[in-house]
Amino acid sequence: MMNLFQILRRYVVLFACFATATALLTACKSVTTNDTVDYKSAGAVRGPNLSYPPDLITAQADRRYIVQDGTATMSEYNAAVKKSIQMRSNVLTGIPGMRIARDGERRWLVVEKPAAELYPQVKDFWQENGFLLVVDSPSTGIMETDWAENRAKIQQDWLRSTLNSVLDSISDTGERDKYKTRLEVSKPGETEIYITQKGAIEKCVNDATTTACDYTIWTTRPNDPELEAVFLARLMERLGMTQEQAKAMVATPLGPKTPKAKLVEDGPNQAHVELSAGFDRSWRDIGLALDRSNFTVEDRNRANGIYYVRYVNPKDVGDSKGFFSNLFSSKDNSILQAKKYQVVLKSTGENSVSVYVQNADGKPENTPAGTQLLTILNDQLAR
């Protein structure tokens, strides 16, 4: 019969074995999941089948010997093999003509491919990264993710890795992010892809008579260009570029940004924004400013220089607590209170564009609200 010392020693040995095995598993995990972003969406993500890596032609060696429909000729067979080799080559070398463009802290991706061909690949990309899409509009080239938590910000140790399923339900970073993606056709056969991030943070509010936390509210936090850069690099990998190439391209130092926006008061409740740039650049900058604000771009007409937008003013939906408490609700009533506007760009010279806000009917929005919206855009353009 074992004495107390033998029993204790046996349990110590068992615990040591368990801890060692856990440490080994954790070490293996840390090698494969070491990253700065690891998002977890509130709902179930329905992405493409990931049994094989994206864009990889599965079982390619065996498919060379398959005769389609049993009636393939030698010329058809040779053509199929040639196409197969070309497809595998594209997987290895990536899409030709893919580059990062930049202006100050702003980065965007330029791909020599039609937007209609790129859109489904970009959609799959967000789903593969753990996001749900709340806006999915192939006709306008616009998609927007739901709010999600970046779980990479939670410190990982061997205990958390072991009890991950339990601790996940009680651990929270108190931060959420969502991303907007917009595909623009800059010229035939070339597409510009813009990714903009929007963040929220949970803050503690205490009563004036106490230092305790009475309740928490969600409020906005500053835009993070580095998170946008991370997902641009990941998207480049998804489209076929190697990880080293994508990171090197995104990591190129940003150049200085020349201030080019100015808010001009035309009279009582009458204003416009002047941009010292050509129409193409102004169109891009206004689009990014809209994406990073409380605007939702419903449609756009580049030929006429019009963005059709909705805007949610926090003052129209109650106090900040009520507004941000609905941020993560699938039944966000604030959307019903969003007002529609037109943001219009008019060229006034080779390197000069004026920006106006009009109401839903296309008439000048000569109200305090119109001036407020122009001020928001001007502030974004100045960053």
Side-chain angles (χ1 to χ4, degrees):
M1 186 172 183
M2 292 187 295
N3 56 31
L4 179 61
F5 175 77
Q6 290 174 319
I7 295 175
L8 289 174
R9 184 174 63 180
R10 170 171 292 186
Y11 277 101
V12 167
V13 171
L14 289 174
F15 178 80
C17 293
F18 174 77
T20 302
T22 303
L24 290 173
L25 290 173
T26 305
C28 294
K29 181 178 180 181
S30 64
V31 172
T32 58
T33 62
N34 182 23
D35 208 337
T36 57
V37 290
D38 178 21
Y39 281 94
K40 179 181 179 182
S41 183
V45 178
R46 293 192 298 270
N49 189 339
L50 299 183
S51 300
Y52 299 95
D55 293 332
L56 184 64
I57 308 303
T58 61
Q60 192 64 59
D62 293 338
R63 289 188 179 185
R64 291 180 304 169
Y65 305 104
I66 296 176
V67 180
Q68 297 180 355
D69 300 327
T71 58
T73 63
M74 181 57 69
S75 61
E76 291 173 339
Y77 170 77
N78 290 334
V81 171
K82 183 178 180 180
K83 181 178 180 181
S84 170
I85 294 174
Q86 183 179 8
M87 292 178 69
R88 281 182 290 172
S89 176
N90 287 338
V91 171
L92 296 176
T93 61
I95 297 176
M98 181 165 52
R99 69 184 189 278
I100 288 288
R102 65 192 68 230
D103 176 24
E105 69 172 16
R106 296 179 174 92
R107 301 177 179 92
W108 63 96
L109 182 60
V110 182
V111 184
E112 293 180 3
K113 245 188 174 185
E117 188 174 344
L118 286 170
Y119 189 93
Q121 298 180 61
V122 178
K123 177 181 177 179
D124 289 347
F125 163 77
W126 285 116
Q127 292 177 327
E128 291 162 9
N129 277 275
F131 290 91
L132 295 173
L133 291 180
V134 294
V135 176
D136 179 9
S137 177
S139 61
T140 61
I142 297 173
M143 63 186 79
E144 181 177 345
T145 73
D146 200 356
W147 292 95
E149 179 187 12
N150 187 356
R151 304 293 291 180
K153 294 186 177 183
I154 296 179
Q155 183 178 0
Q156 294 292 328
D157 51 33
W158 70 269
L159 179 61
R160 181 173 298 280
S161 298
T162 305
L163 304 177
N164 192 53
S165 60
V166 177
L167 295 181
D168 257 1
S169 60
I170 60 176
S171 300
D172 196 303
T173 62
E175 294 184 6
R176 298 291 187 272
D177 295 302
K178 69 188 308 182
Y179 294 86
K180 293 181 181 179
T181 308
R182 185 162 43 85
L183 280 67
E184 289 277 359
V185 178
S186 53
K187 60 183 180 181
E190 184 175 276
T191 304
E192 297 175 348
I193 303 177
Y194 301 92
I195 294 177
T196 53
Q197 174 265 352
K198 193 174 182 181
I201 186 169
E202 190 176 22
K203 290 188 175 182
C204 181
V205 177
N206 60 289
D207 189 89
T209 60
T210 178
T211 58
C213 183
D214 295 321
Y215 60 90
T216 61
I217 62 172
W218 287 96
T219 183
T220 57
R221 75 177 198 273
N223 164 260
D224 190 343
E226 294 308 312
L227 282 177
E228 296 171 355
V230 167
F231 278 103
L232 279 173
R234 283 192 172 191
L235 178 58
M236 295 170 78
E237 293 179 50
R238 176 62 173 82
L239 295 177
M241 186 171 283
T242 66
Q243 186 179 69
E244 292 75 15
Q245 290 173 326
K247 287 186 176 180
M249 219 174 258
V250 171
T252 303
L254 299 175
K257 182 177 182 295
T258 304
K260 53 183 179 296
K262 181 174 65 173
L263 181 65
V264 178
E265 299 284 347
D266 299 321
N269 294 326
Q270 297 182 30
H272 71 278
V273 172
E274 287 186 355
L275 298 176
S276 55
F279 179 85
D280 290 342
R281 185 173 181 179
S282 298
W283 178 262
R284 180 191 71 230
D285 289 346
I286 289 295
L288 287 170
L290 291 170
D291 289 343
R292 288 179 172 177
S293 306
N294 281 338
F295 292 91
T296 298
V297 178
E298 291 189 322
D299 203 353
R300 59 198 186 282
N301 187 327
R302 185 177 182 131
N304 294 332
I306 303 176
Y307 281 99
Y308 299 91
V309 304
R310 284 187 288 107
Y311 178 74
V312 180
N313 191 332
K315 295 180 180 179
D316 295 337
V317 290
D319 58 18
S320 59
K321 179 182 177 181
F323 175 67
F324 288 106
S325 64
N326 290 326
L327 277 179
F328 315 118
S329 172
S330 59
K331 298 180 180 179
D332 189 353
N333 294 326
S334 64
I335 298 299
L336 300 177
Q337 302 184 46
K339 295 182 179 179
K340 294 186 177 183
Y341 298 93
Q342 296 181 17
V343 178
V344 182
L345 284 70
K346 296 182 179 180
S347 294
T348 55
E350 185 177 353
N351 290 305
S352 179
V353 171
S354 295
V355 182
Y356 300 88
V357 171
Q358 299 178 349
N359 61 24
D361 298 324
K363 297 180 181 179
E365 184 68 27
N366 295 330
T367 64
T371 303
Q372 178 191 9
L373 300 187
L374 286 169
T375 302
I376 293 172
L377 289 177
N378 186 68
D379 290 344
Q380 281 289 343
L381 292 166
R383 293 181 181 180

PDB file of all heavy atoms in Angstrom, residues 16 52 67 91 125 154 164 180 211 216 255 291 307 342 363 382:
ATOM      1  N   ALA A  16       3.740  17.166 -14.008  1.00  0.00           N
ATOM      2  CA  ALA A  16       4.893  17.590 -14.809  1.00  0.00           C
ATOM      3  C   ALA A  16       4.751  17.132 -16.253  1.00  0.00           C
ATOM      4  O   ALA A  16       5.055  17.880 -17.194  1.00  0.00           O
ATOM      5  CB  ALA A  16       6.186  17.047 -14.197  1.00  0.00           C
ATOM      6  N   TYR A  52      -8.052  23.269 -48.835  1.00  0.00           N
ATOM      7  CA  TYR A  52      -6.795  23.507 -49.520  1.00  0.00           C
ATOM      8  C   TYR A  52      -6.508  25.000 -49.496  1.00  0.00           C
ATOM      9  O   TYR A  52      -7.417  25.815 -49.422  1.00  0.00           O
ATOM     10  CB  TYR A  52      -6.862  23.017 -50.974  1.00  0.00           C
ATOM     11  CG  TYR A  52      -7.121  21.543 -51.104  1.00  0.00           C
ATOM     12  CD1 TYR A  52      -8.423  21.067 -51.294  1.00  0.00           C
ATOM     13  CD2 TYR A  52      -6.084  20.635 -51.007  1.00  0.00           C
ATOM     14  CE1 TYR A  52      -8.667  19.715 -51.398  1.00  0.00           C
ATOM     15  CE2 TYR A  52      -6.325  19.274 -51.118  1.00  0.00           C
ATOM     16  CZ  TYR A  52      -7.615  18.819 -51.307  1.00  0.00           C
ATOM     17  OH  TYR A  52      -7.843  17.492 -51.406  1.00  0.00           O
ATOM     18  N   VAL A  67      -9.199  12.341 -68.791  1.00  0.00           N
ATOM     19  CA  VAL A  67      -9.725  12.683 -70.110  1.00  0.00           C
ATOM     20  C   VAL A  67     -11.162  13.127 -69.930  1.00  0.00           C
ATOM     21  O   VAL A  67     -12.012  12.353 -69.520  1.00  0.00           O
ATOM     22  CB  VAL A  67      -9.653  11.471 -71.071  1.00  0.00           C
ATOM     23  CG1 VAL A  67     -10.212  11.845 -72.423  1.00  0.00           C
ATOM     24  CG2 VAL A  67      -8.220  10.984 -71.195  1.00  0.00           C
ATOM     25  N   VAL A  91       0.070  31.025 -59.373  1.00  0.00           N
ATOM     26  CA  VAL A  91       0.001  30.869 -57.929  1.00  0.00           C
ATOM     27  C   VAL A  91       1.339  31.192 -57.288  1.00  0.00           C
ATOM     28  O   VAL A  91       1.435  31.801 -56.228  1.00  0.00           O
ATOM     29  CB  VAL A  91      -0.454  29.438 -57.547  1.00  0.00           C
ATOM     30  CG1 VAL A  91      -0.309  29.210 -56.054  1.00  0.00           C
ATOM     31  CG2 VAL A  91      -1.877  29.208 -57.990  1.00  0.00           C
ATOM     32  N   PHE A 125     -11.553  36.832 -49.043  1.00  0.00           N
ATOM     33  CA  PHE A 125     -10.441  37.218 -48.179  1.00  0.00           C
ATOM     34  C   PHE A 125     -10.940  37.640 -46.800  1.00  0.00           C
ATOM     35  O   PHE A 125     -10.405  37.205 -45.771  1.00  0.00           O
ATOM     36  CB  PHE A 125      -9.655  38.357 -48.843  1.00  0.00           C
ATOM     37  CG  PHE A 125      -8.753  39.107 -47.911  1.00  0.00           C
ATOM     38  CD1 PHE A 125      -7.546  38.564 -47.506  1.00  0.00           C
ATOM     39  CD2 PHE A 125      -9.111  40.365 -47.429  1.00  0.00           C
ATOM     40  CE1 PHE A 125      -6.704  39.262 -46.641  1.00  0.00           C
ATOM     41  CE2 PHE A 125      -8.283  41.061 -46.575  1.00  0.00           C
ATOM     42  CZ  PHE A 125      -7.074  40.508 -46.175  1.00  0.00           C
ATOM     43  N   ILE A 154      -4.918  39.724 -26.699  1.00  0.00           N
ATOM     44  CA  ILE A 154      -5.011  39.037 -25.417  1.00  0.00           C
ATOM     45  C   ILE A 154      -3.751  38.205 -25.231  1.00  0.00           C
ATOM     46  O   ILE A 154      -3.405  37.384 -26.078  1.00  0.00           O
ATOM     47  CB  ILE A 154      -6.255  38.133 -25.358  1.00  0.00           C
ATOM     48  CG1 ILE A 154      -7.525  38.983 -25.454  1.00  0.00           C
ATOM     49  CG2 ILE A 154      -6.260  37.312 -24.079  1.00  0.00           C
ATOM     50  CD1 ILE A 154      -8.803  38.179 -25.440  1.00  0.00           C
ATOM     51  N   ASN A 164      -8.399  27.490 -23.342  1.00  0.00           N
ATOM     52  CA  ASN A 164      -8.806  28.515 -24.298  1.00  0.00           C
ATOM     53  C   ASN A 164     -10.316  28.623 -24.436  1.00  0.00           C
ATOM     54  O   ASN A 164     -10.881  29.710 -24.474  1.00  0.00           O
ATOM     55  CB  ASN A 164      -8.179  28.219 -25.664  1.00  0.00           C
ATOM     56  CG  ASN A 164      -8.328  29.390 -26.611  1.00  0.00           C
ATOM     57  OD1 ASN A 164      -7.964  30.504 -26.288  1.00  0.00           O
ATOM     58  ND2 ASN A 164      -8.870  29.114 -27.782  1.00  0.00           N
ATOM     59  N   LYS A 180     -13.849  48.846 -44.080  1.00  0.00           N
ATOM     60  CA  LYS A 180     -14.549  49.117 -45.325  1.00  0.00           C
ATOM     61  C   LYS A 180     -13.577  48.869 -46.485  1.00  0.00           C
ATOM     62  O   LYS A 180     -12.407  49.235 -46.410  1.00  0.00           O
ATOM     63  CB  LYS A 180     -15.048  50.557 -45.377  1.00  0.00           C
ATOM     64  CG  LYS A 180     -16.132  50.892 -44.366  1.00  0.00           C
ATOM     65  CD  LYS A 180     -16.589  52.334 -44.517  1.00  0.00           C
ATOM     66  CE  LYS A 180     -17.656  52.693 -43.492  1.00  0.00           C
ATOM     67  NZ  LYS A 180     -18.097  54.107 -43.622  1.00  0.00           N
ATOM     68  N   THR A 211     -15.170  56.602  -7.153  1.00  0.00           N
ATOM     69  CA  THR A 211     -14.125  56.269  -8.135  1.00  0.00           C
ATOM     70  C   THR A 211     -14.392  54.932  -8.804  1.00  0.00           C
ATOM     71  O   THR A 211     -13.638  54.513  -9.665  1.00  0.00           O
ATOM     72  CB  THR A 211     -12.755  56.208  -7.441  1.00  0.00           C
ATOM     73  OG1 THR A 211     -12.795  55.243  -6.390  1.00  0.00           O
ATOM     74  CG2 THR A 211     -12.378  57.578  -6.879  1.00  0.00           C
ATOM     75  N   THR A 216     -20.072  51.129 -18.442  1.00  0.00           N
ATOM     76  CA  THR A 216     -19.125  51.340 -19.537  1.00  0.00           C
ATOM     77  C   THR A 216     -19.877  51.808 -20.777  1.00  0.00           C
ATOM     78  O   THR A 216     -21.064  51.494 -20.952  1.00  0.00           O
ATOM     79  CB  THR A 216     -18.354  50.048 -19.880  1.00  0.00           C
ATOM     80  OG1 THR A 216     -19.280  49.044 -20.303  1.00  0.00           O
ATOM     81  CG2 THR A 216     -17.558  49.560 -18.683  1.00  0.00           C
ATOM     82  N   GLY A 255       5.842  58.885 -47.560  1.00  0.00           N
ATOM     83  CA  GLY A 255       6.342  60.213 -47.888  1.00  0.00           C
ATOM     84  C   GLY A 255       5.543  61.301 -47.198  1.00  0.00           C
ATOM     85  O   GLY A 255       4.487  61.054 -46.629  1.00  0.00           O
ATOM     86  N   ASP A 291     -15.067  57.155 -46.087  1.00  0.00           N
ATOM     87  CA  ASP A 291     -14.963  55.821 -45.502  1.00  0.00           C
ATOM     88  C   ASP A 291     -14.539  55.882 -44.042  1.00  0.00           C
ATOM     89  O   ASP A 291     -14.932  55.032 -43.241  1.00  0.00           O
ATOM     90  CB  ASP A 291     -13.963  54.967 -46.288  1.00  0.00           C
ATOM     91  CG  ASP A 291     -14.488  54.578 -47.669  1.00  0.00           C
ATOM     92  OD1 ASP A 291     -15.711  54.690 -47.886  1.00  0.00           O
ATOM     93  OD2 ASP A 291     -13.673  54.186 -48.528  1.00  0.00           O
ATOM     94  N   TYR A 307     -20.840  61.433 -54.912  1.00  0.00           N
ATOM     95  CA  TYR A 307     -20.961  60.335 -53.952  1.00  0.00           C
ATOM     96  C   TYR A 307     -22.346  60.434 -53.311  1.00  0.00           C
ATOM     97  O   TYR A 307     -22.722  61.489 -52.789  1.00  0.00           O
ATOM     98  CB  TYR A 307     -19.909  60.439 -52.845  1.00  0.00           C
ATOM     99  CG  TYR A 307     -18.527  59.966 -53.224  1.00  0.00           C
ATOM    100  CD1 TYR A 307     -17.533  60.867 -53.598  1.00  0.00           C
ATOM    101  CD2 TYR A 307     -18.192  58.615 -53.193  1.00  0.00           C
ATOM    102  CE1 TYR A 307     -16.252  60.444 -53.928  1.00  0.00           C
ATOM    103  CE2 TYR A 307     -16.918  58.171 -53.522  1.00  0.00           C
ATOM    104  CZ  TYR A 307     -15.956  59.096 -53.891  1.00  0.00           C
ATOM    105  OH  TYR A 307     -14.694  58.664 -54.226  1.00  0.00           O
ATOM    106  N   GLN A 342     -25.720  64.174 -50.942  1.00  0.00           N
ATOM    107  CA  GLN A 342     -24.849  64.013 -52.110  1.00  0.00           C
ATOM    108  C   GLN A 342     -23.602  64.860 -51.876  1.00  0.00           C
ATOM    109  O   GLN A 342     -23.704  66.051 -51.560  1.00  0.00           O
ATOM    110  CB  GLN A 342     -25.553  64.450 -53.395  1.00  0.00           C
ATOM    111  CG  GLN A 342     -26.766  63.622 -53.754  1.00  0.00           C
ATOM    112  CD  GLN A 342     -27.415  64.069 -55.048  1.00  0.00           C
ATOM    113  OE1 GLN A 342     -26.802  64.782 -55.851  1.00  0.00           O
ATOM    114  NE2 GLN A 342     -28.666  63.663 -55.263  1.00  0.00           N
ATOM    115  N   LYS A 363     -30.150  69.444 -54.173  1.00  0.00           N
ATOM    116  CA  LYS A 363     -30.175  70.894 -53.957  1.00  0.00           C
ATOM    117  C   LYS A 363     -29.173  71.255 -52.871  1.00  0.00           C
ATOM    118  O   LYS A 363     -28.877  70.446 -51.983  1.00  0.00           O
ATOM    119  CB  LYS A 363     -31.583  71.334 -53.555  1.00  0.00           C
ATOM    120  CG  LYS A 363     -32.626  71.077 -54.629  1.00  0.00           C
ATOM    121  CD  LYS A 363     -34.011  71.528 -54.174  1.00  0.00           C
ATOM    122  CE  LYS A 363     -35.060  71.236 -55.261  1.00  0.00           C
ATOM    123  NZ  LYS A 363     -36.425  71.649 -54.826  1.00  0.00           N
ATOM    124  N   ALA A 382      -7.228  66.758 -43.786  1.00  0.00           N
ATOM    125  CA  ALA A 382      -6.051  67.419 -43.221  1.00  0.00           C
ATOM    126  C   ALA A 382      -5.160  66.454 -42.460  1.00  0.00           C
ATOM    127  O   ALA A 382      -4.038  66.808 -42.098  1.00  0.00           O
ATOM    128  CB  ALA A 382      -6.494  68.558 -42.293  1.00  0.00           C
TER     129      ALA A 382
END
